[in-house]
Every structure is written in C-alpha cells, then in structure tokens.
Amino acid sequence: MKYKSVFDIIGPIMIGPSSSHTAGAARIGRVARSLFGRKPKYATISFYGSFAKTYRGHGTDVAIVGGILDYDTFDTRIVDALTIAEQEGIMVTMTAEDAITDHPNTARVIIGDEDDKIEVVGISIGGGKIEITELNGFELRLSGNHPALLIVHNDKYGAIAGVANILAKHEINIGHMEVSRKEKGKEALMVIEIDQNADEIIIDELNSLPIVQQVVKIHD
C-alpha cells in the first residue's frame, strides 16, 4: 500500500493511542454501520492477530464500538462507547480469535437487528487507513475513504453495462470498480468507488434495473 502524503503516515485527528488500533478500528465499525444503514440491536466483534492481543489496552474495543455508534475518529464520546452502546440497548459481544489471518490488524463485525444483519471483515493498514475485505461472504476491496456504491445483483450479462450507463448519464465518474461472486450465475456484488456522492434519484434508477437486488451507498 503506497502512501500519498505525509498525513497518510502520521494518521488522522483521532482519540489515541494508536492510529491503526483506534482510528482504523473506528473506521471499520463506522463503515459497517453505514452499510447496515441504521442503529443495530447487537454487535458481535471478533479480533484477530495484533488486534486480538491488544484490543483492550490499545482502545480497539471502544473505537470499533464508537464507529458502530456512527462516531468519527476524533469524537470524544468514543472513550465511553461501550457504556453508551449499553445505554442505547445495543448488545455487544467481543472475542479474541487464534486463527491466522492475512493481516495482523483484522476484525470481523456482525451487526444486526430483528429484521436483518450484515457481516463485515476489515483490516487496519496504518495511519488510520482501512480496507473492507469481505461483506456477507463476498470478497472485495473497499477503502471507506471515498463515496461508494455496493450493488447486489444477479450474475448475468449486461449488469455492469446497465449500472455504468446510469452513472454516465448522471456524470458520475468511477474511481475504482470490482465485481465478485460466490458462484457462477447466482448472486454477485459490484463495488464502485465514485468521485462524488450519488443522489437518491440515481439510487432509485439503479434499483429499477431488473438484475439489481439491492443498492447501498456510502457517503464521503
């Protein structure tokens, strides 16, 4: 991973003590919250590697829950996130896992309520930067640093063209795009990082495509 500026190395403004263990964890939690779209009733969090060994001492536990509460990295409420989550009726469960992962700072977050749930795997790569590497079993690469569209669709020809045509019509430029699927001809996931936030009219048009099952947007 290449850094674009000195600020990528120093990291963001944040509640300490570590950019990778707190700011990165908070961003993983906040992306999960954004993808879920509302306050969850429960959160099950699994830590791996370095996260698993130090998540209490380095504040990774409060940071990731702060993100799930939709707090930014510099929000002072993060230090009380566990207490606030309990007060808001969110049941939080955390475990330290022994399994070996590709990256030492890895967290698996499952959040949900009585209607739905999502499962997100994220890694903190340093300087407060993250990558979301898995969503509900789909492999992906999402930075969380740019507006993005996550489109669940049927794995059929014309899916990418249909989505791209709508974005082009609204002059939305694509910065990064990838598609993953669990099985040929079944459900697939399109991840598109874009240069500006997508209006609701664009989301409605994307949802109207016959092959699209669900569209989730992440704001800048």
Side-chain angles (χ1 to χ4, degrees), residues 34 144-149 167 170-173 192-203 206 217-220:
S34 180
N145 294 324
H146 307 284
L149 298 171
L167 295 180
H170 291 276
E171 300 182 349
I172 300 292
N173 191 49
I192 308 172
E193 290 191 339
I194 51 182
D195 288 347
Q196 64 260 50
N197 290 318
D199 295 332
E200 286 302 321
I201 188 172
I202 299 173
I203 305 304
L206 291 171
K217 66 176 180 177
I218 298 179
H219 293 288
D220 194 4

Side-chain angles (χ1 to χ4, degrees), residues 158-198:
I160 295 174
V163 169
N165 286 337
I166 289 175
L167 295 180
K169 183 178 74 172
H170 291 276
E171 300 182 349
I172 300 292
N173 191 49
I174 296 173
H176 172 79
M177 180 179 184
E178 62 182 59
V179 180
S180 62
R181 62 186 182 185
K182 299 177 185 176
E183 186 178 347
K184 182 180 178 181
K186 301 295 184 180
E187 196 175 65
L189 175 67
M190 199 180 304
V191 179
I192 308 172
E193 290 191 339
I194 51 182
D195 288 347
Q196 64 260 50
N197 290 318

Side-chain angles (χ1 to χ4, degrees), residues 41-211:
K41 293 290 184 65
Y42 64 86
T44 303
I45 304 163
S46 302
F47 295 113
Y48 300 85
S50 178
F51 271 180
K53 296 175 182 177
T54 62
Y55 72 91
R56 287 193 178 94
H58 283 193
T60 309
D61 51 354
V62 295
I64 202 164
V65 172
I68 292 169
L69 289 169
D70 204 24
Y71 299 162
D72 208 336
T73 56
F74 53 79
D75 196 316
T76 56
R77 292 174 294 177
I78 282 179
V79 296
D80 298 313
L82 293 173
T83 300
I84 295 170
E86 184 178 4
Q87 292 171 347
E88 295 192 7
I90 303 174
M91 184 176 65
V92 177
T93 304
M94 296 186 185
T95 58
E97 303 290 345
D98 294 327
I100 304 299
T101 55
D102 292 336
H103 194 280
N105 296 331
T106 299
R108 182 180 300 273
V109 180
I110 301 172
I111 58 175
D113 55 23
E114 61 275 7
D115 296 320
D116 201 4
K117 70 174 184 178
I118 64 165
E119 181 174 349
V120 171
V121 177
I123 60 175
S124 179
I125 59 177
K129 291 183 173 294
I130 68 165
E131 283 187 2
I132 302 301
T133 59
E134 188 177 315
L135 172 62
N136 292 343
F138 288 104
E139 293 183 357
L140 69 153
R141 189 183 65 183
L142 178 67
S143 70
N145 294 324
H146 307 284
L149 298 171
L150 280 73
I151 302 172
V152 180
H153 61 95
N154 299 326
D155 182 30
K156 293 183 177 179
Y157 64 88
I160 295 174
V163 169
N165 286 337
I166 289 175
L167 295 180
K169 183 178 74 172
H170 291 276
E171 300 182 349
I172 300 292
N173 191 49
I174 296 173
H176 172 79
M177 180 179 184
E178 62 182 59
V179 180
S180 62
R181 62 186 182 185
K182 299 177 185 176
E183 186 178 347
K184 182 180 178 181
K186 301 295 184 180
E187 196 175 65
L189 175 67
M190 199 180 304
V191 179
I192 308 172
E193 290 191 339
I194 51 182
D195 288 347
Q196 64 260 50
N197 290 318
D199 295 332
E200 286 302 321
I201 188 172
I202 299 173
I203 305 304
D204 291 341
E205 285 191 43
L206 291 171
N207 274 314
S208 70
L209 292 172
I211 46 83

Side-chain angles (χ1 to χ4, degrees), residues 26-43:
R27 284 180 168 165
I28 291 170
R30 201 174 189 200
V31 169
R33 167 66 179 263
S34 180
L35 292 171
F36 190 60
R38 58 188 181 275
K39 184 176 76 174
K41 293 290 184 65
Y42 64 86

